Amino acid sequence: AQSVTQLDSQVPVFEEAPVELRCNYSSSVSVYLFWYVQYPNQGLQLLLKYLSGSTLVESINGFEAEFNKSQTSFHLRKPSVHISDTAEYFCAVSVPSGGGKLIFGQGTELSVKP
Amino acid sequence: KAGVTQTPRYLIKTRGQQVTLSCSPISGHRSVSWYQQTPGQGLQFLFEYFSETQRNKGNFPGRFSGRQFSNSRSEMNVSTLELGDSALYLCASSLGNTGGAFFGQGTRLTVV
């Protein structure tokens, strides 16, 4: 079975500061990794994903995440955050044989203050 | 391309009633998954349908059921509602591989 642990439930940060949201996973088989973002009263939006290849993946709005197999981690980073990045962020995994099933972490609430 | 559409957005039901939620996936997507989101339990997988067949199932009681139609639209049904069923129910569609899913805005169900 797979599991996902997001190490911080809340991360407060000032605008233009860097941020890292931490995600660790557990699995006995290879996994695909995802970060989703959820704004208030909205569904989830796919931010970025790692399927294979380069371990560093980037999103169009400045976020990046690095897959580290030895540490079973997939931390999300952004060098300079904006007020509009305030949201809840979810790390998720799926397995190649698992169809569309996603297993989510508990979420990290990112709060960007002016 | 239209996104994933869930209807209704909000529902209030009484304990013991049943409810049906609807999801229209992105055109061309054959996989539809359902998730329950609550403050205490987070996001939990309910089930997945692919080409009208249930392909995966989470750990929920039999009161939770679903189906998928030939046009890939999906419905989920909850019978004999309990207060604990109050949650945001999210539908996600994908091409059927594991390259990530696209979510609808959800249906917020309140059981009183």
Side-chain angles (χ1 to χ4, degrees):
Chain A
Q2 291 72 43
S3 66
V4 178
T5 302
Q6 290 183 243
L7 297 160
D8 306 294
S9 59
Q10 294 181 320
V11 173
V13 64
F14 287 106
E15 195 174 17
E16 297 184 6
V19 71
E20 178 180 79
L21 306 184
R22 297 179 293 168
C23 171
N24 285 92
Y25 69 92
S26 172
S27 177
S28 58
V29 299
S30 295
V31 294
Y32 297 147
L33 293 150
F34 307 87
W35 276 99
Y36 283 85
V37 58
Q38 186 177 33
Y39 298 100
N41 299 314
Q42 299 291 321
L44 278 71
Q45 297 175 26
L46 180 62
L47 195 57
L48 44 74
K49 62 186 177 185
Y50 171 78
L51 304 181
S52 64
S54 173
T55 57
L56 184 66
V57 291
E58 299 175 352
S59 72
I60 58 173
N61 58 356
F63 282 96
E64 65 178 31
E66 185 159 20
F67 169 55
N68 188 316
K69 188 174 182 179
S70 62
Q71 297 186 5
T72 59
S73 68
F74 191 55
H75 301 332
L76 182 69
R77 303 184 185 96
K78 189 170 186 180
S80 176
V81 294
H82 303 289
I83 297 286
S84 59
D85 293 324
T86 294
E88 189 148 23
Y89 292 79
F90 292 92
C91 181
V93 301
S94 68
V95 295
S97 60
K101 177 181 178 180
L102 291 165
I103 298 161
F104 286 91
Q106 286 294 97
T108 297
E109 190 179 329
L110 175 64
S111 176
V112 182
K113 304 178 187 304
Chain B
K1 218 177 204 184
V4 179
T5 304
Q6 290 188 246
T7 55
R9 288 292 310 278
Y10 302 92
L11 266 179
I12 300 176
K13 290 287 187 178
T14 304
R15 266 186 309 172
Q17 288 186 313
Q18 75 166 23
V19 67
T20 299
L21 312 182
S22 180
C23 172
S24 293
I26 292 170
S27 177
H29 284 193
R30 296 164 67 190
S31 168
V32 174
S33 298
W34 289 88
Y35 295 83
Q36 182 195 66
Q37 185 177 25
T38 59
Q41 300 298 315
L43 280 155
Q44 293 187 287
F45 173 78
L46 280 155
F47 31 66
E48 179 201 9
Y49 286 86
F50 182 82
S51 294
E52 302 179 65
T53 301
Q54 188 178 84
R55 183 159 73 169
N56 277 300
K57 190 176 188 305
N59 295 322
F60 278 81
R63 300 185 297 107
F64 292 81
S65 63
R67 59 178 175 168
Q68 187 179 34
F69 302 96
S70 58
N71 62 358
S72 292
R73 190 177 71 84
S74 177
E75 291 181 345
M76 68 163 280
N77 184 278
V78 188
S79 63
T80 320
L81 283 165
E82 301 177 359
L83 295 178
D85 298 333
S86 294
L88 180 67
Y89 290 88
L90 292 163
C91 166
S93 81
S94 73
L95 289 168
N97 55 22
T98 49
F102 296 86
F103 283 77
Q105 292 195 312
T107 294
R108 184 162 299 280
L109 172 65
T110 302
V111 182
V112 297

